[in-house]
Structures are given as structure tokens and as C-alpha cells.
Amino acid sequence: MASLLQGRLPVNQDVLLMQKGTLMRKVRSKSWKKLRYFRLQEDGMTVWHARQVGGRAKPSFSISDVETVREGHESELLRSLAEEFPLEQGFTVVFHGRRSNLDLVANSVEEAQIWMQGLQLLVDFVTSMDQQERLDQWLSDWFQRGDKDQDGRMSFQEVQRLLHLMNVEMEQEYAFQLFQAADMSQSDTLEGEEFIEFYKALTKRAEVQELFENFSADGQKLTLLEFVDFLQEEQKEGDRASDLALELIDSYEPSDSGKLRHVLSVDGFLSYLCSKDGDIFNPACLPVYQDMTQPLNHYYINSSHNTYLVGDQLCGQSSVEGYIRALKRGCRCVEVDIWDGPNGEPIVYHGHTLTSRILFKEVVATVAQYAFQTSDYPVILSLEIHCSWEQQETIAQHLTEILGEQLLSTTLDGLLPTQLPSPEELRRKILVKGKKLRTLEEDLEEEEEEELESELEREQEAGLELEAQSEAETQELSPRSKDKKEKKSTPIMCPSLSTLVVYMKTVSFHSFTHSREHYRFYELSSFSETKARRLIKEAGNEFVQHTAWQLSRVYPSGLRTDSSNYNPQELWNAGCQMVAMNVQTAGLEMDICDGLFRQNGGCGYVLKPDFLRDTQSSFHPERPISPFKARTLLVQVISGQQLPKVDKAKEGSIVDPLVRVEVFGIRPDTTRQETSYVENNGFNPYWGQTLCFRVLVPELALLRFVVKDYNWRSRNDFVGQYTLPWTCMQQGYRHIHLLSKDGTSLHPASIFVHICIREGLEGGES
């Protein structure tokens, strides 16, 4: 089976040595360090490990799970062991999603280099694989797992066991017929190519064949004109259908003669339907496609709460890894809680809790390194400062020295602005959000030092404005006791730190009228989720008008000690820009957040709809009027493909899948419906059911497609999901490529649907 990818696999000295295997230390903590024997399998796509050379091996990870490989000095854990092992001998395997990193220490610098270079080579290869190669790799993985005795061939008994692992419940007789038909060598076993044939027979899709025949005159091919008809009638591609048809045939028709004759075979047709062009997510929305020249307050900004935590808020681990993960997934606003630390060095952690501590300067260095790896658009450092004057000065010094040119420390042109700058103008800049002693106007006038001192004295005497500004953004179990502590311990702010806050001065919120009368556009308020929800109910339209001119940040309630999340959608409905999420916690709420920010190049900024950017807007998120843009959505859920097993431990269990379609938007639009379940078939279930939704404000709607494993005894188990904005959805016959709870690909698991959007509201459940 290794032959599948063998011809294309990059094989060099490093890869060959990895296939021989290496004894390395696996490090989990300062006290947990164990020798393990790691070996790259012959397929070049999976790494297995054993307790010793020749010991019983089990899979460790697949190359497609790996995001990148880091050098030893980049790992907090390995750095803490620098006295035991030279850092050059260590390296870190970083996985997609929320899976913990794997820290390894080799016996020599040379061995570490072999694994780092070899792994990176294979990761780059996997990243560049096309659809067919990814499928080959997936099959190769399965073949490895099914080939119990590892002899490169599979008996019918092994095939039966594999079918069970792959979620297929099949009549033994029918399975044996397919097995015999694929066994061209008549050896009573299947080898590489024979296994592929067997798999093809297994995955023949009657619903695609039928669709193909509906448009094909001879049932063998789609001519150019027939394919154009399909693209216009079903896929709603409009005027571009003719040009698109030629492009798609060129991309997806496997035979050269078909390409020359401009015809599409059924294989080419299926290949197109499974591709990014046949995806439910419109490829036009994948790059940065929105206007990025509007003021910052016109955008939703991907924001993280308690960014330093990789666990819960009471005793979770604080780690710079939290910042790396948040920035790499497109977060543009990260939170830093700073407290006085030993030796004059400020530390970052969740105050008054048992969470571990990290040095502030390490956080800043990490931000400097990772801020613009995923997106060029500005990063906002939301500082919560609980430090003495001396350590505030150290904070200002670290920000200035470590960030250098990246730090925005004055207005863009040195002049007083009339509105916030745009993401475009702030490219590759890091902005500080926090409290500020004076107004921007006063800063720019560069008052005399004495004036600043006398102002400080006045500030000291009154102590009022700073007290008012002291927000309960750093949560604790009891918000009341938090307020008391804040008022007692709020130190005076040091001027050198104050001047680094330019466009993002935090101020207390009293009322929308008070903000309008007393605040400036570069000042912003934070709201707890509870307060924000109450304001939306009481004064939804005023909230919308407020967020049209001033930035706002919403943060999770202090009672969420498990770092759970709220639904960000209802806050976005009111135009709130920075809806801060515990990105370390997977689940429905993060699926919604990831869904919104999947568009626009994943750059972390999404332009709000026009009615949320108008300071005179009449929109009320709870009571929208004039449903002139209302739409009816028909989702025909047709079939599923290669759905993964939910409970891998139960070898005999096969999923009974159902599909739930959920709409999130304004309250009247938020609803869900589901299909019935298909018994014992996760491999190619067929539903053929149509669900109907009526949506009043499509511009704010997100759709979440969830596959569940029906379970009458308990709540249905999660299999996979995919969430996307309504505005990025393509009509017609589309595949939805499922993601795990963690947001990582479940390739090749998908569901096949037909999407139809009609103007106005029609009958049907809602």
C-alpha cells in the first residue's frame, strides 16, 4: 500500500533515517521524561512509537496532524530543562487544533536535526497535496491499520475488520463479491491498487450518478454545453458559467482526451463536486475580499479572553502557547493580565487564583514573533494592569524595546485624528488598549512636565476618575469582592505607559447618552456579557448606534471559572466589535466564532453590515423592522460520506447518523431542524430530506451543519460540524467538509446537500 504515495513522497537521507527509528526522550513536565522509540512508517505518513526498540508499537501521530516543528529554545517546557539537556537536542511537534504539543529530546544535535528537517519536509509535502493525493494518503492510513500482520496485503478477514473500523455495516456476501472483483491477482488478498479498486466499488455514489445522468444525454459524459446548463440551473453560477465550465473541466477531468474535447466524465464530475469549487463555502470569500479602509470600529475583530490560559481560570496553566495559538488562528485582540512579579519583573496570570505565572517580557516577545504570521492586520494588546508604578515603568520599557517599530506609540501622522484609522493603515502595527492619564489632544500638545506632575497630584487627591475607569475585566468568582479589591489597590498610572495608549483608551460606561456627551471616538468601554445582554434588551437600537461610532469589548462573566464561552452572535447583532472568547475551549460557541472569521482571508477583521455602521441606524437586534431582505432557505440533506466513528473504543459500534442544521442570527432567525437518523451506516448514509428556514436578517446569519450519532439512551453524540456565514454560502449541489470538535479537518468526511435560497418568506417551519 505504501506504493500509493511512494512515487511522490519526498525521500531524502533524513526521511530514511527516521524510517530506521530513533530512541528519544518524550517530555511532559519537569518530572515526566521517558525514553520512547519513535519510527516513521514505510508509508512516510505516520509515526509510531514503542517503549523500547523492537517493542510493541502503536500509532503516535499522522503527518497530516502536524502543523509545524519548532526548535527546542522555542519551548517553555524544554527551556525549563535547559540544565538537564542542551536545547539544541530538543524540538517540539505542534499539532493542528487544541491537541497538546509533543516535546522530544534526541540523544544528539544531529538526531534532532534529522527529525526536525525530515518532519518539516513531510509536513510541507502534505500541505501541498491535491485532493487525490489526500485521499490516497487517507486510504494508506486505513490500509496500515487494517493490515494487522503488516505484510502489505489484506485477507478478507482483515478487510471485514477494517470495514467495521471504517464505520461500514455490510452484508458479508456483498462485501465478499466486491473483494473478489477487486482481487485481480486472485491471491485471495488485496494489495495496494486492488485495495483502491475495492474502495472505489465500496464508495460508488448512486445519488451523484443519477444527478450526472439528469444532465448527460448519453449517460457517459457531460458535454461543455450540458455542464454549462448544470452550472447555471443548479449551481446558480449565472453569466460566468461558460468560462467557469472550461476552467473546471481543465482542473477536474482526469483524462487528457476529455480535457481536449471539453467533456466531463462522471469521475471528473465527482471530483469537481468534492473540490473547493464544489464546496458550500464560496471560494471568492476565502481571500481578503472586503474593504479594509474603513475605521476600526466598522469591523468585527477576532478577540481572545484570558489569552495566557490553556486550561480553566482557577488552576489552569498560563503559557505563552496560549498567545501563539490565538495569534496563529487569527485573533487580533489578546488579553494580558499583569501583576507585580519578583525581581522587579511583571508577571502574567489570572489574579487571586492558582493559575501558573509567566513573565510579561516573554509574552511580549511571543507577540512580537507571532503577531503577523497569519494576518498583516493590527494586533491589539488589551492590558489589565495591577502593578506598582515601578513595574508599570518596566512594562512600558518592555513594550517599547521588544516591539520596536511594530508598536504604535503615537498617531499615524502625528496629528489629531477625526476618526479611528483603518486596518489597512495599521498593517503590521501593535496597539495598546488600556487606561490613560490624559486625552490624546493633551498628549499631542506635549504639555510641560510640570503640568503633568500637577495633574498627577490632582489625580492623587481626587482618585476618582481612575477609580471609575477601574473595570472588572479581570474576573473572579465574586464580582463584588473584585470591585472592593480594585478600588483599594488601583495604583496611579505611570506616564510612560499612559502615552503608549493612543487609539484605545478604556473608559467606564455609564450610559449611551453619557458616552455620547463625554467621550471621544478613540475611547472605548468594556461590558460583561451579562451587562451587554441587558443593554441589548433594554436599549438595542442605542447600542447599535453606540457601536457605530465607538469600539466596544465584551468579556465572559466571572462565573465561567471553567473557561466556557457565551454565544458571540447576540453581541455581534448589536455591532459589538471585540467579543472576547476563551479560544482554548472548544464547542458550539467557538464554532460560531470560527465560522464568522473563516472568511476574508482569516485575517481577523470582518466588515460589519452597513446598518451596523450607521450612527443614525434604526436597527434593533431584538425587534428588526422592514424584512425587505428576508429569505427562505431550503436545505436538502442528501447523503454523507466516510463519517468517522464516535466511540473508537467500541470496535463493534457503527454510527447511526443524523444531520442537524442550525441557524444563528437575530433572535427570531435562531432555530434548528434535523433529519431522521440512518441506522448503522457512517460510510455512505442517505437521507434525502429537505429542511426549510425563514430568515429575516440574512446578513447577520450563520449556518452550522452538525452530524450527530443518534443515541436513544442519552444525548446524541457529536460526529462533526461545519459553520459558515450566510453571505459566504454557495447555492446548488455542495459538499460540506466536516471539522472535529477542535475545528480540525475530518477529511474525507463530508455531507452532500442542495442549497436553494429564495427571496421573501415562504411557508414552512421556522
Side-chain angles (χ1 to χ4, degrees), residues 340-347 359 391:
D340 278 354
N343 311 318
E345 280 297 342
I347 51 173
L359 286 172
Q391 295 212 6

Side-chain angles (χ1 to χ4, degrees), residues 290-478:
Q290 295 182 330
D291 175 7
M292 300 305 285
T293 63
Q294 301 202 24
L296 275 184
N297 51 300
H298 285 186
Y299 298 84
Y300 296 122
I301 303 171
N302 193 342
S303 302
S304 153
H305 178 62
N306 287 347
T307 315
Y308 44 86
L309 289 182
V310 285
D312 66 53
Q313 296 181 19
L314 284 183
C315 42
Q317 188 195 351
S318 300
S319 165
V320 294
E321 195 61 44
Y323 291 92
I324 296 173
R325 289 182 183 185
L327 292 165
K328 288 196 83 163
R329 66 186 296 151
C331 277
R332 298 288 86 190
C333 176
V334 296
E335 187 182 27
V336 196
D337 274 1
I338 320 168
W339 301 77
D340 278 354
N343 311 318
E345 280 297 342
I347 51 173
V348 173
Y349 77 106
H350 199 280
H352 312 295
T353 64
L354 300 173
T355 57
S356 57
R357 293 138 162 75
I358 40 178
L359 286 172
F360 173 70
K361 63 179 176 187
E362 286 199 358
V363 170
V364 183
T366 301
V367 171
Q369 186 180 350
Y370 287 94
F372 305 111
Q373 285 194 8
T374 298
S375 164
D376 264 359
Y377 292 107
V379 165
I380 298 158
L381 288 183
S382 182
L383 302 188
E384 281 298 305
I385 297 168
H386 312 270
C387 299
S388 60
W389 178 295
E390 293 74 26
Q391 295 212 6
Q392 285 182 40
E393 292 200 307
T394 308
I395 290 171
Q397 193 182 340
H398 286 329
L399 288 169
T400 313
E401 289 174 5
I402 298 171
L403 297 179
E405 287 294 296
Q406 292 180 326
L407 181 68
L408 185 97
S409 51
T410 181
T411 56
L412 285 173
D413 50 9
L415 302 172
L416 187 67
T418 52
Q419 61 175 30
L420 286 174
S422 68
E424 190 57 48
E425 290 173 300
L426 292 168
R427 266 173 178 270
R428 300 190 75 83
K429 285 291 177 196
I430 295 172
L431 284 68
V432 175
K433 167 187 164 297
K435 302 192 182 83
K436 189 171 175 63
L437 286 171
R438 310 184 302 185
T439 63
L440 197 49
E441 288 85 334
E442 288 166 334
D443 265 3
L444 289 168
E445 283 163 15
E446 291 190 335
E447 288 183 342
E448 308 289 341
E449 194 61 40
E450 302 90 65
E451 273 197 56
L452 177 57
E453 281 170 17
S454 65
E455 182 166 338
L456 277 172
E457 280 159 22
R458 284 203 305 276
E459 202 82 332
Q460 216 158 353
E461 283 158 18
L464 291 173
E465 194 187 336
L466 273 175
E467 273 183 22
Q469 288 178 17
S470 173
E471 300 245 7
E473 275 192 57
T474 303
Q475 278 92 54
E476 290 176 59
L477 282 173
S478 159

